[in-house]
Amino acid sequence: MKTNRRKRLVTGVSFLIISSVLLSACNSSPQATESNSRGAPSGTTTTTEPAKKPDPVQIKGIANLYNQAPAKDSVFWKQMEKEFNVDYSVDWVPADNYQQKLDLVLASGDIPDLMQITNTTAPSVLKAVKAGAFWDLTPYLGDFSKYPNFKKYTNQNAWTLSKVSGKNYFVPRTRGNLDSAVFIRQDWLDKLNLKAPTTLEEFANVVKTIAKSDPDGNGKIDTIGVIPNAGYFAAAFGTRDPVRDSSGGIIHANLTSNYADYVAYMRDLYQAGAIPKEFALINGTQQEEMFMTGRSATFVKNAWHKYRMEQENQKTQPGAKVTLLPYLKGPKGFAHIYDLGYFGGMAISKKVDEKKMLRILDFLNATSDEKYYNFVNFGIEGVHYVLKDGFPSLTDAGKKEVNSSFNAPFIFSTAEFAKVDSPLAPMSYNLQTREEMKVLYKIDAKIELFNVLQSDAWSTAWSKFKDEFASMEAKAISGAISMDDFKAFQAKMLENPDVKKSAGEFAKSYEEFFGKK
């Protein structure tokens, strides 16, 4: 979506006058409304009673929680339920434990009506799909003629990349391709006469120097340089390029020499004191807290958090400034995060009957109308946000209620800068952040392949040794085992029958999505 389209989006929202649009969207399904019109005897006047609005569809859902969840009795939630004619109850689960919770729910078979799936290729999710846990939406979606908002306002590539065995089991939560970056304390770089790094080698020198210094001025050498993050850094070592075995199969990135090179890079940073000893025990929420309170020099996060991170750091260190590192050049590519164009999706439980499934699908189609973008992301205009220079700006009420989890239970229209623009920041700040992130368009568009490629055999194998793999990786980084030990572990995993089988399945999946290469 181009910038001028985004401006039309944010300036065109007038939430209180679009109920007629919703009713039109809901009529896309024959189950959405009931007509009471009847024919009259000849010679009498024909009258048509107004269409009877159906009772709200009751939906039980589950979604991930980063901060505080919107309360069901809040002004926003009540207005949302009224406008979309739903009675929507959400089980909010902390983001750090969300996938584990989903695994348990899927294993139990007690699946809610609507599930937010954050990883459409997670083994437990693929297993559930194959077991018939979710509705196959493919025949209902068709050419999107009954769901015009999906066709007009969502990223069409996402509908392809989120398929399982060529079928749509998920309504993808689409967005632009610009997402996360490394945040680094610019004021600390200035204090230590360091330049913002552009390569992995420069980055290593910077975080090593910071870790050996006292940039926060507390008289202690206790600043964290970086915490390992394969999602950002590993790509610089070639993990987003398919590595094939002797039979032409594709080896999962975690078991390649490229991934071992990433581990070795982090090992060097650990030995230099740039990585904390307890890094393996620090979850995402704790990492964020460490960065916001000036304990860590860097943090990987969605770009739109930059302004908030800067403001939070200024509470403890006046003058704190944050710089984005959208990419770092490495030996075999670039460390960066180039988004798939969607973040998981919503799956409808097969336990609901067809009529209810269609009403839920109508609900998701309605929320994805471009006119509702600001509503499901920022709340009610005049209550949670106001428009300033065409951008939503949160009010005091919005700052309390609107957060990363606000939009989690919904589908909404695609916006190019959805993960870049901050509702807390002035327009000039957001425009600058956009320019900083747009450089990724000139770097490369390599996505995380194994967020798309699928293999039943890998799902089986990975579920058995993923914890052991994480442990061995942490031990290799910390020096508890040698890199040769880690590589030997990778080699052992490659001999696993299911892992061997997965290479062929990954190759087949690659061809289905990307063609022969």
Side-chain angles (χ1 to χ4, degrees):
M1 184 182 295
K2 295 183 179 179
T3 302
N4 60 352
R5 180 171 180 266
R6 173 69 176 131
K7 282 191 175 182
R8 291 201 305 272
L9 182 155
V10 296
T11 57
V13 174
S14 181
F15 174 72
L16 297 179
I17 65 173
I18 53 180
S19 59
S20 62
V21 175
L22 172 64
L23 292 177
S24 174
C26 288
N27 281 337
S28 64
S29 167
Q31 285 77 18
T33 61
E34 297 174 4
S35 174
N36 290 326
S37 61
R38 292 186 176 90
S42 176
T44 62
T45 302
T46 300
T47 60
T48 302
E49 296 179 15
K52 181 182 177 182
K53 187 176 182 179
D55 292 334
V57 58
Q58 293 187 343
I59 304 173
K60 291 184 178 180
I62 185 171
N64 67 330
L65 178 67
Y66 288 99
N67 303 101
Q68 184 175 349
K72 187 169 171 61
D73 62 353
S74 66
V75 173
F76 165 75
W77 205 263
K78 288 180 179 179
Q79 189 69 24
M80 179 275 297
E81 291 186 322
K82 179 181 178 181
E83 283 299 317
F84 297 119
N85 197 28
V86 295
D87 180 357
Y88 195 9
S89 300
V90 176
D91 177 14
W92 296 91
V93 180
D96 286 328
N97 303 314
Y98 191 68
Q99 189 58 52
Q100 294 95 311
K101 174 68 173 183
L102 283 192
D103 292 347
L104 293 173
V105 171
L106 293 173
S108 73
D110 187 18
I111 299 174
D113 304 331
L114 190 59
M115 298 188 75
Q116 183 196 6
I117 304 296
T118 53
N119 181 356
T120 58
T121 60
S124 60
V125 173
L126 293 178
K127 183 178 179 180
V129 168
K130 301 293 177 63
F134 306 123
W135 273 95
D136 173 9
L137 304 175
T138 316
Y140 300 93
L141 295 169
D143 61 358
F144 292 113
S145 59
K146 292 184 178 180
Y147 304 97
N149 294 333
F150 289 159
K151 177 66 174 179
K152 189 175 182 180
Y153 298 125
T154 64
N155 186 329
Q156 296 304 291
N157 287 337
W159 291 94
T160 298
L161 294 179
S162 63
K163 286 184 176 181
V164 177
S165 300
K167 298 179 180 180
N168 289 113
Y169 292 91
F170 315 109
V171 176
R173 303 182 75 242
T174 69
R175 58 191 189 186
N177 299 108
L178 303 179
D179 189 340
S180 299
V182 170
F183 297 166
I184 190 167
R185 286 287 296 270
Q186 180 63 48
D187 53 315
W188 289 357
L189 295 179
D190 295 340
K191 183 177 182 179
L192 299 173
N193 294 316
L194 298 170
K195 293 183 179 180
T198 59
T199 69
L200 279 186
E201 183 178 1
E202 291 174 357
F203 180 82
N205 291 333
V206 163
V207 293
K208 287 177 182 178
T209 300
I210 289 175
K212 294 177 181 177
S213 306
D214 180 25
D216 59 356
N218 68 351
K220 300 178 182 178
I221 306 300
D222 59 356
T223 303
I224 296 169
V226 65
I227 293 177
N229 188 305
Y232 179 90
F233 292 100
F237 299 93
T239 59
R240 292 185 188 158
D241 296 316
V243 175
R244 297 185 181 269
D245 61 18
S246 58
S247 300
I250 294 179
I251 301 171
H252 193 283
N254 289 358
L255 303 183
T256 64
S257 60
N258 293 333
Y259 195 87
D261 290 341
Y262 153 73
V263 173
Y265 176 80
M266 289 297 166
R267 180 188 179 93
D268 174 69
L269 294 181
Y270 182 92
Q271 292 175 341
I275 295 175
K277 293 181 178 180
E278 69 282 8
F279 74 91
L281 302 176
I282 304 174
N283 62 35
T285 301
Q286 292 169 327
Q287 291 180 38
E288 180 173 336
E289 180 67 21
M290 288 176 172
F291 185 76
M292 288 193 302
T293 56
R295 295 175 59 194
S296 179
T298 63
F299 180 50
V300 178
K301 190 74 172 177
N302 316 105
W304 76 270
H305 290 280
K306 176 190 174 187
Y307 183 82
R308 180 173 68 90
M309 295 295 173
E310 202 164 67
Q311 297 298 304
E312 290 296 326
N313 270 292
Q314 288 175 3
K315 291 179 181 179
T316 55
Q317 282 196 297
K321 186 177 180 181
V322 174
T323 287
L324 288 179
L325 303 178
Y327 71 91
L328 293 167
K329 183 174 175 49
K332 294 183 180 179
F334 295 90
H336 68 46
I337 294 176
Y338 195 83
D339 197 83
L340 296 174
Y342 71 100
F343 177 64
M346 306 301 284
I348 304 175
S349 171
K350 200 65 167 62
K351 287 189 173 184
V352 308
D353 60 29
E354 184 181 45
K355 183 176 181 179
K356 184 171 181 177
M357 178 274 290
L358 288 169
R359 288 198 64 186
I360 293 174
L361 205 53
D362 283 337
F363 165 58
L364 299 178
N365 177 66
T367 63
S368 64
D369 191 313
E370 184 181 57
K371 295 180 180 180
Y372 285 99
Y373 181 86
N374 283 350
F375 177 59
V376 298
N377 282 277
F378 307 114
I380 302 171
E381 184 175 2
V383 177
H384 299 99
Y385 75 94
V386 294
L387 291 176
K388 291 185 178 179
D389 298 317
F391 286 84
S393 178
L394 293 180
T395 63
D396 289 340
K399 291 175 182 178
K400 293 179 180 178
E401 297 182 40
V402 179
N403 52 61
S404 304
S405 298
F406 199 78
N407 63 25
F410 306 109
I411 296 295
F412 43 89
S413 61
T414 301
E416 181 181 5
F417 301 107
K419 308 302 291 184
V420 176
D421 291 341
S422 170
L424 302 173
M427 179 185 69
S428 58
Y429 192 97
N430 282 331
L431 290 177
Q432 178 59 39
T433 305
R434 287 184 180 189
E435 291 304 312
E436 292 171 5
M437 290 298 292
K438 281 164 65 176
V439 299
L440 281 177
Y441 290 145
K442 300 178 181 179
I443 300 303
D444 66 37
K446 290 181 180 178
I447 61 174
E448 197 69 63
L449 281 178
F450 295 94
N451 285 340
V452 176
L453 302 187
Q454 299 157 17
S455 164
D456 290 339
W458 176 261
S459 297
T460 299
W462 187 243
S463 65
K464 295 177 181 177
F465 68 76
K466 64 180 179 179
D467 291 339
E468 184 181 6
F469 183 90
S471 175
M472 292 295 284
E473 178 180 338
K475 289 179 180 178
I477 291 174
S478 68
I481 62 173
S482 68
M483 283 306 303
D484 286 340
D485 290 334
F486 180 74
K487 292 176 183 178
F489 173 73
Q490 287 181 305
K492 179 182 177 182
M493 291 301 97
L494 288 172
E495 294 302 314
N496 179 286
D498 284 319
V499 172
K500 284 185 175 181
K501 184 179 179 181
S502 74
E505 294 178 350
F506 279 137
K508 180 180 178 181
S509 181
Y510 185 92
E511 187 173 332
E512 289 175 351
F513 283 111
F514 307 109
K516 292 184 178 181
K517 292 181 182 180

